[in-house]
Structure formats: structure tokens, C-alpha cells
Amino acid sequence: MHETKSCAIIGAGLVGLCTALEFLDQGYKVTLIDPQDPGLGASYGNAGFIASEAIDPLATSDSIRKALPMLLDQHGALSIPIGNLSQTIPWLIRFVLSSNASSVNNTRSALANLLNQAVPSWKTRLARENLADYLIPCHYMRVWENPNGEKAARNEQAFYQKWGIAAEFASFEQVKQLEPALAHSIHHAVLLPHAHRIRDPYKLSQALLKAVLQKGGLVRKENVTMLSPQSQQVEIKTDQAAYIFDKAVVCAGAYSAKLLRSLGVHIPLMA
């Protein structure tokens, strides 16, 4: 007699919920584990924009050059609390080392291959759950106020097109037609006509949760403290109990790095 395999999904945000549905469709018995209610955390209240064009890694020579002045501003976007320096400095060293041209090109290629699948994958998953109306086609513009920025805009358009991302140069008149509120401040833009966004990330997470439960998935509101391989299975310890599963998928956002450390996997991931 065939025994149904089990899978634990650690993290019940949008990524975890979609992963749970995929395993349920493959016939697994699925348990979602998260210390918060599903859909909270990073999936709650964000803009819901599917940034398929964001193939540039954070670590580039340009971003590091721009970041240095911010690090010196205690009220800036990159201000680091003194108490976090011991954890942050090793991360920053790895960040700088990964900004070399070879690493950046490899990362761009990997991100392009991954992100090109994002919208089609969302369409497939949401259609399967009768939730297609949550995915909204829209346009997205990178704008310039000064006419001197036209060369930069043309270069950016060419960059997107090189990586298979549809991009158009939009003149002042086109910008005015698309976004009348910008008519008095924007000179030109790069238009990404095939952008998509999620109508309401939290409401979508609740709809996906409903689908998970209808397909027999379970939810445990517990905090995972350790992962431990056990032959062909994995033991998961939480603040309340210990469980054995055939598979486990970590979808815990910035917390994933801490969990994977117990397996000897060191990911330079910080909130």
C-alpha cells in the first residue's frame, strides 16, 4: 500500500502558501508552520508589485558607491545600530566581495531566468485556485525630471531589452498621457508595459490559505527552532513539539538563515 509522503513548509507567507499548494497538488500531506498567522510578516501590507525587471543584484560597484555616504548618516536608510555591528560587518564584507563584475553578471543571469518565470507562474497558480483576478496587469515607469537624463534612460531601456524585458522610451507627451499627474514634473521615462501587481497581498494570502485548508493542509502556529536530517526524513523541532516529515521547505524570509545554520548552510541573509 502506497503511503502518503509528508512535507513541512516553514513560513506561511505568500511563498510558503504557494509552495504548500504545489506539494498538495503532488499528493503530499502538508503542514504549514509559522509563529504568526498565515499572511502576516513580509507578505502583509506590501505594494504587491512583481518586480520582474529587478535583475540587478543589490551588490554592485554602483550601489556600494552610493551606500557609503548613507552608512555615515546615523539617520539614513542604511544606518547600522552599534549593537548590530558584530553581525553586520561580516555580512558587509561578503556583500562587497560579491560586487565584482563576474559575480554580478552571474547573478543577473540567474535572476533573469528566475524572474522571467514569475508572472507566468503566478498566472498558473492563481488560475488553478480560481483567483486570477488578484493578478493585475499594469505599466511601470522609471522617470526622469531633467532632459539631461535622456542618455541614461536610453541606456536603461537597452539594458532591459538585452535581458529579454520589454521596455520602451516614453517621451513627455507619452508620460503625460499615461500619468497626467506627472505632467508638470517629469520629462521622460522608461516604460515597462508588461508589469503586474497583486491586488491585495494579504487578502490573496487568506484566499490561498483557504485553498490549502480545503485541500487538506494543516497549519501549526509554532516557532521552528531546529531542523535535523534523520536518514531519509527530517526532524523539525518547535517551541512546542518535535515532528518528523519526509521533506521540509524553508520559506521563512530573513529568518531562514538562522534555521539553515543548524544544517551547516550559511546564507548571508539579513533583515
Side-chain angles (χ1 to χ4, degrees):
M1 182 177 177
H2 177 71
E3 184 178 349
T4 301
K5 288 192 173 184
S6 60
C7 180
I9 311 296
I10 303 170
L14 286 172
V15 174
L17 289 163
C18 289
T19 304
L21 287 167
E22 188 65 32
F23 273 92
L24 285 164
D25 289 347
Q26 293 181 23
Y28 281 78
K29 182 179 180 181
V30 172
T31 302
L32 275 163
I33 309 176
D34 196 302
Q36 302 185 89
D37 291 327
L40 296 181
S43 292
Y44 178 80
N46 64 65
F49 182 71
I50 301 173
S52 299
E53 85 294 344
I55 64 170
D56 248 357
L58 289 177
T60 66
S61 58
D62 186 53
S63 65
I64 289 173
R65 185 173 64 253
K66 293 177 179 178
L68 287 175
M70 299 185 202
L71 287 170
L72 300 177
D73 181 359
Q74 64 177 341
H75 301 298
L78 296 180
S79 176
I80 301 173
I82 296 298
N84 284 358
L85 281 177
S86 62
Q87 297 181 43
T88 304
I89 288 176
W91 184 92
L92 285 173
I93 292 172
R94 293 186 67 170
F95 185 82
V96 172
L97 291 175
S98 68
S99 67
N100 66 80
S102 177
S103 294
V104 169
N105 285 332
N106 289 338
T107 304
R108 278 179 183 152
S109 180
L111 284 171
N113 289 329
L114 180 67
L115 294 176
N116 281 340
Q117 301 176 49
V119 171
S121 297
W122 272 114
K123 287 181 177 178
T124 299
R125 170 49 59 194
L126 296 182
R128 201 175 293 172
E129 311 306 332
N130 295 315
L131 298 172
D133 60 325
Y134 276 92
L135 185 64
I136 301 174
C138 60
H139 64 258
Y140 166 65
M141 288 193 293
R142 295 260 295 166
V143 299
W144 280 259
E145 295 178 319
N146 195 313
N148 294 334
E150 182 169 335
K151 182 179 179 181
R154 297 284 186 185
N155 288 339
E156 186 162 311
Q157 177 195 16
F159 171 80
Y160 287 138
Q161 292 175 336
K162 173 185 174 183
W163 290 96
I165 301 166
E168 303 169 5
F169 180 85
S171 66
F172 168 78
E173 288 299 328
Q174 289 171 299
V175 172
K176 181 180 177 180
Q177 183 178 2
L178 289 167
E179 297 291 345
L182 299 179
H184 300 293
S185 57
I186 301 304
H187 185 269
H188 61 273
V190 172
L191 171 68
L192 304 175
H194 299 155
H196 285 72
R197 65 181 178 86
I198 297 298
R199 176 158 53 88
D200 186 317
Y202 180 67
K203 285 185 178 179
L204 175 58
S205 70
Q206 299 310 293
L208 292 171
L209 172 62
K210 183 178 179 180
V212 168
L213 296 175
Q214 288 175 340
K215 294 182 179 186
L218 302 175
V219 177
R220 295 189 180 276
K221 193 174 179 180
E222 301 175 22
N223 183 40
V224 175
T225 56
M226 182 177 292
L227 300 172
S228 178
Q230 302 289 329
S231 184
Q232 299 301 309
Q233 295 178 309
V234 58
E235 180 183 22
I236 293 180
K237 293 182 179 180
T238 75
D239 54 356
Q240 298 183 33
Y243 308 96
I244 296 291
F245 294 93
D246 294 301
K247 293 183 182 293
V249 184
V250 179
C251 306
Y255 187 65
S256 301
K258 181 178 180 181
L259 284 177
L260 294 173
R261 207 172 296 140
S262 63
L263 301 177
V265 179
H266 299 280
I267 298 176
L269 179 63
M270 293 183 68

